[in-house]
Amino acid sequence: MVALFLIVALALSGSVTNVARADVWETSSNWNARAESAYQAWVTTKWQKNFFKKPGFYQNIAMDCADTVYAMRLVYAAENGLPFAMKDPTGGGGIISNEMTRWDHLPPDLRKREFLKFVYKIASTSSLPNDSYPVAVNRAAIGAGRFLLTDKASHHSWTIKSLSEHGVPFLLFASRPARIGLFERFEYPTVPFVFPNGIKPETHAGFRAFRHPRDLGKAVWQVPGYSLEQYTIPHKNWASQMQKRLALKSEGADQKLMRILANACQGAVERIDAVKRGDEINRSLGGACMTSIQFDDHSTPSRDSRLKGSFIELRDSYRRYLRNGKRISPRVRAQVEAVLAGDEGVDQDDFCPVQIERRTTLTLGQVYVRSLNDMMSADPHDSIAQRWGLQRFPSSKANSCRHFR
Amino acid sequence: MKRLGVVAIFAVMMGLLYWRSPSEQPEPVVTEAAEIPAQPPSQFHEGSEAVTNSDTPRSAIRLSSTTKDLLLSCVKGSETFSGIHSPADFQTLDEFFTRAQRSHGGEKPTVELAFQNLHALTSNEEEIRLHVAALSGGETPSRMVPQFFKADEDGLPVPVDLPQDYETLTAEEALVRFHQQFPKLILDEKSETWRWPSGASANLKLRNGQLEEIQLFLETKSSLACGVAQERQIDCQCLE
């Protein structure tokens, strides 16, 4: 009788404890092929650049690039009762998961928000390799919900929102300094940026998928779906090779040129704000130099190299099409030639005005020629005019301040 | 993919790449100037349960003939390992790598740190962690930053502000400073990438100096992957 009483008492105390120690969210389902498929459909339709601006429990959370990759998986898992788990990047072999009870004093939706913010504080591009695996080169393995990681030297990552029928990934991503809105690109980032040390597996760079929680304890080569296939693709023409393998149909010359033009325009326009923010910080510091973090946040060497990559791709693709006698419509031809003409080009239909200051607007062609000739300063200690190649750089301040490279 | 599974009792042998008696110690690996320099030897706090390098002998453990056959067949055609021809050429994995190095006129791999975690006990016996990793999405190439954490009752991290005296330090300076400030280390965990001049490369995960996982990518496009399956046992595969 006493034993029975003890068992009942223990069982009761156990359930009381369970109530008090609530998970971030309850796991009611598991990752399997059906869940993965629903996840991909959700990413394609709901994962948008203003996702964190919309009213809701995830509104106004600022993030950097790796945060965005984890958020894509975490938010879907949270909203669908699926487990989210990642290795503790700070060491010790623990697992960070929705079963953590640290926020059990909060209402359920606030717990999710706090958990997401917690993941942002511990996750980075360095933790992504432990929580994912490299995938094969086919449409089943590369597409919505997967991500692209660079070599450690570039320490950047992009989520894949979708893969077009022409085999081009639609990328959604964030950068530093952390911010609420996301950026978009419809392209393959350049090889020198993704693979600065070559297309090699030890870099962890390339297309990757999240591990299921049950696979976190395994060595990466034991994870189902692990493949080194993408590292067999030659460095030369990596993007076109990838596109060819992933395409359902080939991309026409007009489509491709307009896509590259749009990416270049987006890159140039996004640089306006990045440069302005850096200039504001620089002015607020007076004669003082930026700290290493400020310098990292407001310098633009990676951004500038990606922009230059887009311009090079535009130029080379156009020349190749001309050489091969491909048909290009007069409208597209005029727009591309206006950009490639540089300072002499006339912006077609006000295609992409780049307003760098209130009274100064550059054409995309003017940006193109400055980008290609490395005339634009990446140093946030330089003036806006120097950052856009309208004046020679470096400034005396940029010359005297430390470069964190 | 061809899988050759082998389970052999030589977990410690893997660690010999790092933990060796002085007489057995091969040339240290080269550290790139831009990367984290070699750290001072860790002084692990003996009273901590987190320390796992207790009574494991650090002498070389001989490889089984099955494992040696696996290694030989896997590296066939690799320039890096061209100096190794028969099972008699090496007795341990340590010798396997050392021999490869020697056969290339002493060419050593460069080492790049992917991330490192140091856990220590403060004077109040509280756990404090230093995590050094690349700054996500930053503009500066290869920039690594230090972060501080405490641990909760489940051993999971609790972010804490970077101490003021660390704010101006580089990642490598922070690692050295942490060693000096918290001598009671209970964990030293890191992930490295090795690159041989001949083109082979490897990813390694080390815990308190013991190798936990290695994936060797050969110039021949195949790779040799070994991980500690359980204590004193290791699982190797040759992937093609």
Side-chain angles (χ1 to χ4, degrees):
Chain A
M1 190 63 187
V2 173
L4 183 64
F5 173 77
L6 280 174
I7 289 167
V8 172
L10 278 172
L12 282 174
S13 73
S15 35
V16 168
T17 308
N18 283 341
V19 169
R21 292 176 63 84
D23 294 352
V24 182
W25 67 84
E26 273 192 36
T27 302
S28 56
S29 187
N30 271 312
W31 286 105
N32 51 32
R34 188 187 294 178
E36 286 289 353
S37 176
Y39 162 67
Q40 291 192 303
W42 177 85
V43 170
T44 304
T45 54
K46 307 285 187 195
W47 186 240
Q48 293 162 341
K49 70 176 188 177
N50 61 351
F51 186 89
F52 294 94
K53 288 182 175 174
K54 288 179 178 171
F57 289 102
Y58 305 108
Q59 190 177 19
N60 293 335
I61 303 180
M63 70 203 76
D64 65 28
C65 66
D67 297 341
T68 311
V69 174
Y70 280 104
M72 173 175 66
R73 188 76 166 178
L74 189 156
V75 170
Y76 181 78
E79 298 312 309
N80 292 277
L82 287 157
F84 173 85
M86 61 182 284
K87 278 189 178 175
D88 176 1
T90 74
I95 297 291
I96 308 292
S97 80
N98 59 302
E99 292 179 3
M100 286 176 71
T101 55
R102 190 176 295 178
W103 303 277
D104 55 10
H105 58 287
L106 297 173
D109 282 321
L110 270 183
R111 277 182 229 149
K112 294 177 192 170
R113 184 181 170 88
E114 290 307 307
F115 181 58
L116 183 61
K117 285 161 71 176
F118 168 71
V119 167
Y120 285 2
K121 285 180 184 164
I122 59 167
S124 70
T125 46
S126 302
S127 61
L128 279 169
N130 277 336
D131 300 319
S132 63
Y133 60 93
V135 294
V137 184
N138 59 61
R139 290 184 72 91
I142 297 176
R146 310 299 209 221
F147 64 94
L148 177 60
L149 181 66
T150 70
D151 191 324
K152 181 197 158 208
S154 299
H155 48 95
H156 199 47
S157 52
W158 302 261
T159 66
I160 302 175
K161 178 177 167 60
S162 60
L163 185 69
S164 79
E165 58 185 356
H166 301 122
V168 181
F170 192 94
L171 307 169
L172 219 54
F173 62 101
S175 189
R176 281 192 62 83
R179 44 171 278 168
I180 296 159
L182 301 178
F183 300 110
E184 307 174 322
R185 284 289 184 284
F186 187 34
E187 65 179 352
Y188 285 90
T190 63
V191 170
F193 187 67
V194 181
F195 304 103
N197 289 300
I199 303 177
K200 295 177 178 171
E202 78 273 11
T203 64
H204 306 299
F207 291 97
R208 304 181 69 92
F210 279 102
R211 299 186 194 198
H212 288 172
R214 59 181 172 273
D215 295 328
L216 281 178
K218 294 177 182 170
V220 67
W221 58 87
Q222 293 167 331
V223 176
Y226 169 84
S227 169
L228 295 179
E229 185 185 359
Q230 56 186 303
Y231 303 105
T232 62
I233 293 178
H235 186 272
K236 197 182 173 191
N237 302 328
W238 172 77
S240 58
Q241 287 285 322
M242 287 293 293
Q243 185 176 351
K244 200 171 169 185
R245 289 206 197 185
L246 296 172
L248 296 173
K249 61 182 192 183
S250 64
E251 189 178 32
D254 278 3
Q255 283 169 311
K256 181 167 181 175
L257 291 171
M258 286 311 291
R259 178 173 60 77
I260 304 170
L261 263 178
N263 282 321
C265 175
Q266 212 160 0
V269 169
E270 284 167 2
R271 191 178 188 272
I272 297 170
D273 267 351
V275 168
K276 274 185 185 165
R277 280 199 302 270
D279 186 61
E280 281 164 18
I281 299 287
N282 188 36
R283 284 169 190 267
S284 72
L285 290 170
C289 296
M290 293 193 185
T291 63
S292 61
I293 291 287
Q294 285 172 326
F295 189 87
D296 196 67
D297 280 353
H298 300 292
S299 60
T300 52
S302 297
R303 180 187 292 277
D304 294 352
S305 126
R306 293 196 296 271
L307 179 61
K308 186 176 175 180
S310 291
F311 283 133
I312 290 173
E313 193 188 1
L314 178 71
R315 181 197 63 191
D316 293 352
S317 299
Y318 183 65
R319 286 179 181 170
R320 195 165 46 247
Y321 285 139
L322 290 183
R323 211 169 38 240
N324 297 337
K326 292 274 182 188
R327 191 193 169 275
I328 304 169
S329 69
R331 185 180 61 89
V332 173
R333 185 185 289 256
Q335 275 184 339
V336 174
E337 285 187 350
V339 173
L340 300 188
D343 284 336
E344 275 70 51
V346 178
D347 198 357
Q348 297 290 310
D349 310 322
D350 210 15
F351 170 67
C352 183
V354 183
Q355 188 177 4
I356 61 169
E357 286 186 291
R358 203 151 60 94
R359 292 180 182 171
T360 313
T361 300
L362 302 178
T363 63
L364 194 59
Q366 287 172 311
V367 180
Y368 161 80
V369 76
R370 281 160 182 77
S371 171
L372 227 60
N373 293 311
D374 299 320
M375 292 162 66
M376 302 198 297
S377 164
D379 192 325
H381 294 111
D382 283 327
S383 69
I384 289 182
Q386 289 168 318
R387 299 294 301 276
W388 287 98
L390 298 178
Q391 288 174 9
R392 282 180 174 275
F393 67 90
S395 61
S396 55
K397 183 174 179 181
N399 233 350
S400 62
C401 288
R402 185 176 170 187
H403 284 225
F404 296 92
R405 287 180 194 166
Chain B
M1 184 185 297
K2 178 183 169 189
R3 173 182 169 141
L4 297 171
V6 170
V7 177
I9 307 174
F10 63 89
V12 179
M13 171 272 304
M14 298 292 286
L16 295 175
L17 285 167
Y18 281 75
W19 289 97
R20 285 173 276 255
S21 65
S23 60
E24 296 169 316
Q25 197 117 12
E27 294 284 313
V29 291
V30 175
T31 302
E32 280 183 304
E35 302 300 336
I36 307 285
Q39 296 302 307
S42 302
Q43 299 296 313
F44 292 100
H45 183 49
E46 290 180 354
S48 167
E49 290 179 2
V51 178
T52 54
N53 60 337
S54 54
D55 57 352
T56 314
R58 292 176 187 170
S59 60
I61 295 177
R62 297 166 79 87
L63 294 170
S64 70
S65 58
T66 319
T67 306
K68 288 208 270 187
D69 288 344
L70 167 72
L71 297 182
L72 277 173
S73 68
C74 197
V75 302
K76 198 173 180 181
S78 160
E79 193 197 337
T80 310
F81 294 90
S82 58
I84 303 174
H85 304 290
S86 81
D89 289 342
F90 62 103
Q91 301 305 319
T92 67
L93 196 66
D94 184 23
E95 284 180 15
F96 186 67
F97 284 102
T98 312
R99 179 70 186 257
Q101 185 175 306
R102 207 181 301 138
S103 62
H104 279 273
E107 283 185 322
K108 302 163 192 171
T110 57
V111 177
E112 182 183 76
L113 182 71
F115 66 82
Q116 186 163 3
N117 293 310
L118 295 179
H119 296 190
L121 295 178
T122 65
S123 52
N124 299 329
E125 298 293 302
E126 284 177 344
E127 187 177 325
I128 186 87
R129 298 178 179 183
L130 174 68
H131 173 61
V132 165
L135 187 68
S136 296
E139 285 284 324
T140 319
S142 297
R143 179 165 162 69
M144 296 187 84
V145 290
Q147 282 180 287
F148 264 68
F149 297 89
K150 289 182 176 175
D152 70 8
E153 56 190 11
D154 299 319
L156 296 175
V158 179
V160 292
D161 289 340
L162 193 68
Q164 214 168 15
D165 54 337
Y166 281 78
E167 280 179 3
T168 55
L169 300 183
T170 62
E172 55 263 44
E173 289 165 346
L175 286 164
V176 173
R177 174 102 177 93
F178 190 87
H179 268 289
Q180 292 165 343
Q181 195 175 4
F182 304 106
K184 287 183 178 177
L185 273 190
I186 55 174
L187 179 72
D188 181 353
E189 182 184 72
K190 60 182 167 183
S191 172
E192 293 178 343
T193 300
W194 289 18
R195 292 187 178 94
W196 280 269
S198 50
S201 59
N203 289 329
L204 301 90
K205 287 183 184 168
L206 298 116
R207 192 179 170 88
N208 295 335
Q210 302 284 347
L211 198 58
E212 279 206 327
E213 209 175 281
I214 183 168
Q215 190 168 17
L216 179 64
F217 302 102
L218 300 156
E219 316 90 304
T220 53
K221 303 291 178 198
S222 62
S223 70
L224 174 70
C226 298
V228 177
Q230 49 185 289
E231 196 181 358
R232 297 176 64 81
Q233 286 196 335
I234 196 152
D235 182 21
C236 285
Q237 293 176 31
C238 187
L239 309 166
E240 290 174 0

